[in-house]
Amino acid sequence: MNKQLKVLFIGTYVPKECGIATFTFDLLNSVSGVHDDIRCEVIALNDPSETYDYPEEVVFQIQRDKIEDYYRAADFINQSDADIVCLQHEFGLFWGNAGDYIFALLSGVNKPVITTMHTVIREPEPEYRTSTEKIIQYSEKLVVMSQTAVDMLKDVYNAPEDKIEIIFHGVPDYPFNNCSKYKQMLNLKGSPLILTFGLLSQNKGIESMLEALPDVVSQYPDLVYLVLGATHPVVKKHNGEAYRQYLMDRVFELGLEDNVVFHDKFVEKEELCNYILASDIYASPYLSREQIVSGALTYAIGMGKAIVSTPYWYAQEMLSDNRGMLVNFGDKDGFKNSLLYLIENPDECNNMRKNAYDFGRKMTWKNVGKEYNTVFSKALKNYSTYPRIQNRFNFLPNQLPEVKLDYLKLLTDDVGIIQHTNLGVPARHHGYSTDDVGRGLVALTQLIDSQEKAEEFWKLITTYMSFLEHAQTGSGHFHNFMSYKREFLDEEGSEDTLGRAVYGLGHVVSCPYLSKNIRTLAHTLISKSKPQMEKLSYPRAKAYTMCGLYEMLRAGVDADSFESVFNSRRDAVRSIDSLVDKDTFESIFISHADSLVDLYEANSKEGWDWFEPTVTYSNGKLSESLILAYKYTKDRTYRRVGLATLDFLTETQWKGDFFDIVGNQGWYSCDGEKPIFDQQPIEAGYLTQAYVSAYETVREKKYLELARYSFEYFLGRNRLRIPMYDISTGAVCDGLNCDGMNYNQGAESVICFLMALSSLNKYADRAYGALFQPAVSEEVLPKRKSLLSANQAE
């Protein structure tokens, strides 16, 4: 080999006591033993609350009932130097419907996947058919262990023939031996010694053998039937030892106490092989025909045992050509006659053993390792030619969608905006929220670019202004929640509520196409809130307030701008005294900006350029507020911190081709793991606005590019690759959850979509024009050190 090949296996793994764990361990060692330039590592699957002292090759663990772990595993694989992923697939290994959690991993992996299929079902239920078809889709190669499995994949699932490879189940390479020395080694009795081994469950069919033994024992009283293996952990969890106790009771009823032995333990491979080598006959009385592979039967073949088995699919194929004897399911007479034949015809028995042993030479782990490496090489060659990952987002539009206000209008009545819906139908019992009304004003005023647009939105804006005027308390704060009965449900809202109200009102003040009357009212409400703005302590409340004040300050408005309006209205003259001048607003604006910088300086550290020890909600608005502070004051400290924190959000959430928003299930602390779900679309909307503001400030191409891709989060450029925006209605779903989309479509989601759309619309030609390539350039995520030094240098 010209370069070192790295293979990453996914499956259960030793010391877990299960057949696939042992198989994965043996396969890894057989593959790595082929050549010195092959490295192997493992992603191990664990049951809930299960912990193991894994060997060093286990580099990542998945708790199989946590879908977030599958997504994280995909990220780990993509960031690793692995060349090939080798998945051990058995439906029961993975959580979900027919084990469909595994597709959270496979859908995000950008490495070729070779899947070893331990189960193929001939007559699948719909969910198992779907799961199998998706496995076929996501795999570059499918490895099965019998021709029967090949035929089923082609005939039942229409799998492409060139995807399928047969590689037999591996076996240890032992010389052809007689049994006596191993019986002596293990202090076992039995002439003959018959063995059945594996994790005990009802599908093993042990009772069929027990029913056959009395007539055999009557002729050969020294016969011993050894049942080796612990009860399957899943069976034990749900049914305890009921099956084992049933078998033991049946032994007593049949008078076989001296001839049947149960060894209730999980034996390691070396000890297991010694038991097999010590036995004279191996019995495989499975009850289900749909058994496409059996590691136990394979080991018995490879070690040259005389075998009696039911005709499940794998046994039918493996025991052909006189390599064993087949007995119908549950046929006690068949088992009796087969056992007697093998005992009474030693030459025929020995010939059968040699046939099995000779066939088993092609199944030794050394040969299996070579065959897997051949398949890996084929898959790598094909994958490098046709990489699947490049087409992950080929469904995205090549231009921005048109502005559509139908859904916002649906949520708006003559009071305000109904804040929540039930699957897109306004849920009146949730009532209204000042938060939504404030942001709604931002979205609408950003869309107004002419007198005609102002007239079109006049009713909506007037309704929202009426709501805020009614919601403002005597102290200048705002109620937040109003019931559908038009009763406020709180004495006053949170500081964030105040900030969001000011955010919207500031945009009204600065919109030149709105009437002077409505702009004056907005100015009045802001002025009345001055004492509350000065007392703010929460960073996001300050950021919202700064965004609103920036709009008002950049428009150059103050009390004098509105005097003529008030002088013409006797009932408003008293309000002139409540108006504050531009200097006061500037003082509040700069004070909040300075406090955010202080917060950043107190909490940022190497690798953590953020305002707080935890990244929570409305994150882009914090960075944007300082970028706006720089635009207004030209103080480069604001620019440095605003861009550094925005770049940190990029580094934290940009995955190279989509944004993976910080989830709200615990948030993301500096010493913790970033939660994947639940993701809220508001964060993508705020990121888009922040990137646009950054582009307007420093004119760096990367920020406009990131603005485009954060906006496309709504259109399907997200972890689940599901569009959240409904182009037919203008509605936006409320989030991405671990089990898929949240199909409720509330006011916050559509408003933040409209805010982001209107911000990016200013540069639509540049964002979707020839200036940008389809793939994100390397400039998007520069090295942190160079990025910070560049900001500081300016």
Side-chain angles (χ1 to χ4, degrees):
M1 292 189 179
N2 296 324
K3 66 179 284 290
Q4 186 178 65
L5 177 70
K6 182 173 178 182
V7 183
L8 191 55
F9 291 88
I10 302 175
T12 51
Y13 202 68
V14 296
K16 182 177 176 68
E17 296 178 352
C18 84
I20 290 182
T22 303
F23 180 90
T24 308
F25 175 81
D26 289 335
L27 178 58
L28 179 147
N29 283 284
S30 70
V31 166
S32 61
V34 169
H35 198 282
D36 291 340
D37 284 339
I38 300 175
R39 289 192 301 126
C40 297
E41 293 179 341
V42 179
I43 294 178
L45 292 155
N46 299 329
D47 283 318
S49 305
E50 195 176 57
T51 58
Y52 292 104
D53 184 15
Y54 282 118
E56 62 181 2
E57 61 264 28
V58 174
V59 293
F60 194 93
Q61 297 179 44
I62 295 173
Q63 185 170 313
R64 64 191 189 95
D65 65 329
K66 287 188 175 180
I67 197 166
E68 295 91 338
D69 283 4
Y70 295 85
Y71 286 114
R72 290 195 179 97
D75 295 340
F76 176 85
I77 293 167
N78 293 339
Q79 294 162 16
S80 75
D81 59 349
D83 301 293
I84 288 279
V85 176
C86 187
L87 171 70
Q88 305 309 304
H89 184 267
E90 163 66 60
F91 297 104
L93 285 185
F94 315 106
W95 220 256
N97 192 18
D100 64 0
Y101 274 24
I102 189 58
F103 301 116
L105 185 156
L106 294 178
S107 63
V109 168
N110 60 7
K111 309 283 175 91
V113 176
I114 287 78
T115 300
T116 304
M117 302 193 71
H118 293 263
T119 298
V120 182
I121 304 173
R122 188 186 293 276
E123 297 178 356
E125 295 294 327
E127 62 269 26
Y128 287 94
R129 173 179 289 279
T130 298
S131 190
T132 302
E133 289 173 346
K134 290 178 76 173
I135 284 291
I136 295 168
Q137 172 193 345
Y138 285 120
S139 302
E140 297 301 315
K141 288 287 186 180
L142 303 163
V143 176
V144 292
M145 304 180 206
S146 66
Q147 183 61 44
T148 305
V150 173
D151 295 339
M152 280 196 283
L153 284 176
K154 291 193 298 183
D155 297 342
V156 179
Y157 301 97
N158 297 316
E161 187 170 3
D162 60 358
K163 266 195 177 187
I164 309 170
E165 304 280 349
I166 295 181
I167 303 178
F168 291 119
H169 191 299
V171 296
D173 193 3
Y174 282 90
F176 189 74
N177 282 298
N178 60 34
C179 311
S180 56
K181 80 168 187 176
Y182 290 96
K183 286 182 183 177
Q184 190 174 12
M185 180 192 304
L186 296 172
N187 195 27
L188 292 175
K189 297 179 181 179
S191 182
L193 176 64
I194 304 171
L195 175 68
T196 294
F197 73 87
L199 294 172
L200 197 63
S201 60
Q202 282 186 303
N203 72 328
K204 289 290 195 265
I206 308 297
E207 57 270 31
S208 299
M209 277 291 294
L210 297 181
E211 299 290 340
L213 287 181
D215 289 343
V216 181
V217 167
S218 67
Q219 298 181 53
Y220 300 96
D222 292 334
L223 178 151
V224 171
Y225 179 38
L226 173 60
V227 180
L228 174 63
T231 299
H232 195 291
V234 174
V235 174
K236 191 170 183 177
K237 180 179 179 181
H238 292 96
N239 301 311
E241 295 287 2
Y243 180 59
R244 183 182 298 276
Q245 188 58 52
Y246 160 74
L247 294 176
M248 294 172 69
D249 291 344
R250 194 72 185 118
V251 166
F252 179 78
E253 292 166 2
L254 294 169
L256 297 171
E257 300 97 316
D258 295 331
N259 302 96
V260 178
V261 178
F262 290 92
H263 278 193
D264 180 9
K265 66 176 182 176
F266 183 90
V267 293
E268 300 297 332
K269 186 176 71 172
E270 183 177 354
E271 185 180 4
L272 171 61
C273 291
N274 289 336
Y275 273 102
I276 300 171
L277 292 166
S279 64
D280 298 286
I281 299 172
Y282 176 72
S284 182
Y286 286 169
L287 297 179
S288 172
R289 186 177 298 276
E290 291 197 2
Q291 183 82 19
I292 205 65
V293 68
S294 167
L297 182 63
T298 306
Y299 271 43
I301 292 170
M303 295 182 196
K305 296 291 104 179
I307 299 168
V308 180
S309 174
T310 50
Y312 53 91
W313 291 327
Y314 188 68
Q316 276 187 306
E317 185 173 331
M318 292 295 107
L319 299 183
S320 61
D321 299 329
N322 197 34
R323 293 191 289 267
M325 301 187 71
L326 295 177
V327 176
N328 285 332
F329 298 100
D331 183 0
K332 68 175 184 177
D333 289 334
F335 276 108
K336 177 191 73 175
N337 293 333
S338 295
L339 292 173
L340 288 172
Y341 177 84
L342 291 172
I343 296 169
E344 294 171 354
N345 296 277
D347 290 342
E348 284 298 318
C349 180
N350 201 49
N351 184 51
M352 194 179 293
R353 289 184 58 206
K354 286 180 178 177
N355 290 339
Y357 183 81
D358 291 343
F359 182 76
R361 294 316 88 213
K362 65 180 72 175
M363 298 192 293
T364 61
W365 279 115
K366 182 178 180 180
N367 289 329
V368 167
K370 290 178 181 178
E371 293 188 56
Y372 265 92
N373 277 281
T374 299
V375 172
F376 294 160
S377 297
K378 289 181 186 178
L380 271 175
K381 182 178 180 180
N382 293 337
Y383 191 83
S384 63
T385 307
Y386 304 105
R388 171 170 48 84
I389 201 71
Q390 289 185 0
N391 298 320
R392 283 169 55 127
F393 300 107
N394 60 359
F395 55 83
L396 290 167
N398 58 7
Q399 62 183 21
L400 288 173
E402 294 183 2
V403 174
K404 189 179 184 69
L405 295 180
D406 300 42
Y407 194 71
L408 181 63
K409 292 176 180 178
L410 175 70
L411 297 180
T412 302
D413 59 15
D414 60 349
V415 175
I417 308 173
I418 295 176
Q419 60 177 328
H420 295 303
T421 72
N422 185 1
L423 298 177
V425 177
R428 298 181 180 185
H429 60 279
H430 285 294
Y432 314 88
S433 167
T434 292
D435 292 339
D436 293 332
V437 169
R439 285 181 292 223
L441 286 171
V442 175
L444 291 174
T445 52
Q446 285 183 323
L447 293 170
I448 295 176
D449 56 5
S450 65
Q451 199 63 46
E452 290 75 20
K453 270 286 196 307
E455 291 171 4
E456 179 185 344
F457 297 165
W458 174 80
K459 183 175 181 181
L460 286 173
I461 289 176
T462 302
T463 299
Y464 297 169
M465 284 297 300
S466 176
F467 186 94
L468 290 185
E469 193 273 337
H470 183 48
Q472 191 167 43
T473 68
S475 68
H477 211 303
F478 290 86
H479 296 288
N480 190 11
F481 299 113
M482 175 189 278
S483 72
Y484 192 69
K485 296 179 180 180
R486 304 188 183 189
E487 298 171 346
F488 286 112
L489 304 176
D490 50 19
E491 292 186 11
E492 62 181 34
S494 67
E495 288 190 1
D496 284 3
T497 296
L498 174 72
R500 290 171 186 137
V502 172
Y503 184 28
L505 293 168
H507 276 76
V508 172
V509 170
S510 68
C511 183
Y513 299 104
L514 293 176
S515 70
K516 198 166 187 179
N517 281 353
I518 205 161
R519 294 170 66 207
T520 299
L521 177 59
H523 191 283
T524 303
L525 299 181
I526 291 176
S527 300
K528 187 176 178 181
S529 294
K530 169 185 168 288
Q532 300 296 333
M533 285 190 278
E534 291 175 326
K535 296 189 296 184
L536 291 175
S537 59
Y538 288 98
R540 284 158 186 78
K542 294 177 181 180
Y544 280 118
T545 299
M546 287 171 61
C547 291
L549 292 181
Y550 169 79
E551 290 297 317
M552 191 167 69
L553 291 170
R554 76 174 180 85
V557 298
D558 56 28
D560 294 336
S561 304
F562 300 104
E563 272 195 47
S564 60
V565 175
F566 282 115
N567 287 337
S568 65
R569 294 172 53 199
R570 183 170 36 173
D571 60 342
V573 171
R574 292 188 300 273
S575 298
I576 296 177
D577 296 335
S578 69
L579 293 176
V580 292
D581 60 19
K582 182 178 180 181
D583 291 341
T584 304
F585 287 131
E586 278 186 352
S587 176
I588 295 172
F589 181 78
I590 292 171
S591 173
H592 289 341
D594 288 341
S595 71
L596 290 181
V597 170
D598 290 343
L599 201 62
Y600 169 79
E601 299 294 350
N603 288 289
S604 63
K605 56 185 178 181
E606 185 176 356
W608 189 262
D609 285 321
W610 193 239
F611 301 95
E612 301 165 303
T614 304
V615 176
T616 57
Y617 66 96
S618 303
N619 301 305
K621 202 55 64 183
L622 290 169
S623 300
E624 184 189 8
S625 66
L626 284 180
I627 293 169
L628 296 179
Y630 166 74
K631 289 177 70 173
Y632 185 73
T633 67
K634 303 305 177 186
D635 185 328
R636 292 188 178 182
T637 298
Y638 302 148
R639 168 177 159 158
R640 172 179 63 84
V641 176
L643 293 179
T645 53
L646 183 57
D647 291 332
F648 172 74
L649 290 177
T650 306
E651 183 178 295
T652 299
Q653 299 174 111
W654 176 245
K655 305 300 293 186
D657 54 357
F658 70 96
F659 274 93
D660 202 25
I661 302 301
V662 170
N664 64 14
Q665 293 182 1
W667 304 118
Y668 177 34
S669 63
C670 59
D671 56 355
E673 191 172 40
K674 187 184 86 171
I676 296 175
F677 299 111
D678 297 346
Q679 297 187 17
Q680 307 298 309
I682 183 176
E683 301 302 322
Y686 282 175
L687 274 176
T688 303
Q689 289 183 291
Y691 287 132
V692 169
S693 293
Y695 174 73
E696 291 174 338
T697 303
V698 298
R699 293 292 165 175
E700 289 185 19
K701 167 186 167 182
K702 69 169 185 177
Y703 288 118
L704 192 51
E705 192 173 1
L706 285 165
R708 168 183 170 173
Y709 294 132
S710 58
F711 176 77
E712 287 181 345
Y713 179 94
F714 292 99
L715 309 181
R717 188 184 286 277
N718 52 55
R719 178 175 281 278
L720 299 185
R721 299 201 299 282
I722 301 176
M724 309 180 76
Y725 175 63
D726 186 339
I727 194 169
S728 63
T729 64
V732 179
C733 291
D734 279 349
L736 302 181
N737 304 333
C738 64
D739 55 354
M741 183 80 76
N742 179 350
Y743 285 99
N744 292 316
Q745 300 165 323
E748 177 183 279
S749 301
V750 67
I751 289 169
C752 290
F753 170 84
L754 291 169
M755 290 163 66
L757 177 59
S758 60
S759 294
L760 191 55
N761 247 333
K762 293 182 288 185
Y763 304 100
D765 292 341
R766 298 184 189 182
Y768 282 86
L771 179 63
F772 292 99
Q773 300 299 318
V776 178
S777 66
E778 292 182 1
E779 295 178 18
V780 166
L781 198 58
K783 298 292 184 183
R784 171 164 302 283
K785 188 176 294 185
S786 60
L787 191 153
L788 287 177
S789 60
N791 290 339
Q792 290 167 349
E794 295 177 2

